[in-house]
Amino acid sequence: MTKLKLGALSDDEPVKVTVELPAPVDRELIAYAKTLERETGQTIQDPAKLIAQMVDGFMATGRGFAKLRRPYSGPCRIPGQKEGHRCV
């Protein structure tokens, strides 16, 4: 069985966002929703609901994004701090 990147949809409080998709992307989203329905047995009324989970997965696996989100822990440049002191 093929492993899809998305699983069952979570039931969270939504935030409304309007996005325009190119027609080919919309067709692929609909095809992905149909495939996900077959694989999970879950009915997907609105394929657009997959977008949030797809974006979340994209950000969660972006190594560059994760690296930039980590707090800086390099040497401090604060006057009066001892040499080698690390900022957290």
Side-chain angles (χ1 to χ4, degrees):
M1 182 182 296
T2 302
K3 176 137 172 71
L4 297 176
K5 289 190 176 215
L6 293 184
L9 295 179
S10 61
D11 190 19
D12 289 336
E13 283 291 319
V15 175
K16 183 126 179 141
V17 176
T18 303
V19 178
E20 289 186 25
L21 299 175
V25 173
D26 183 53
R27 287 190 293 272
E28 289 297 311
L29 183 62
I30 292 166
Y32 195 99
K34 289 178 182 176
T35 303
L36 190 60
E37 282 182 334
R38 278 196 314 272
E39 294 294 313
T40 65
Q42 181 182 14
T43 302
I44 299 172
Q45 300 281 336
D46 182 8
K49 293 197 180 252
L50 299 176
I51 295 171
Q53 197 170 348
M54 290 174 163
V55 171
D56 184 53
F58 175 81
M59 289 187 300
T61 58
R63 285 185 273 160
F65 180 64
K67 182 178 178 182
L68 292 172
R69 296 250 342 211
R70 282 194 291 263
Y72 177 73
S73 62
C76 283
R77 303 277 187 233
I78 301 172
Q81 287 288 345
K82 291 189 282 181
E83 186 67 33
H85 177 80
R86 309 246 338 139
C87 292
V88 181

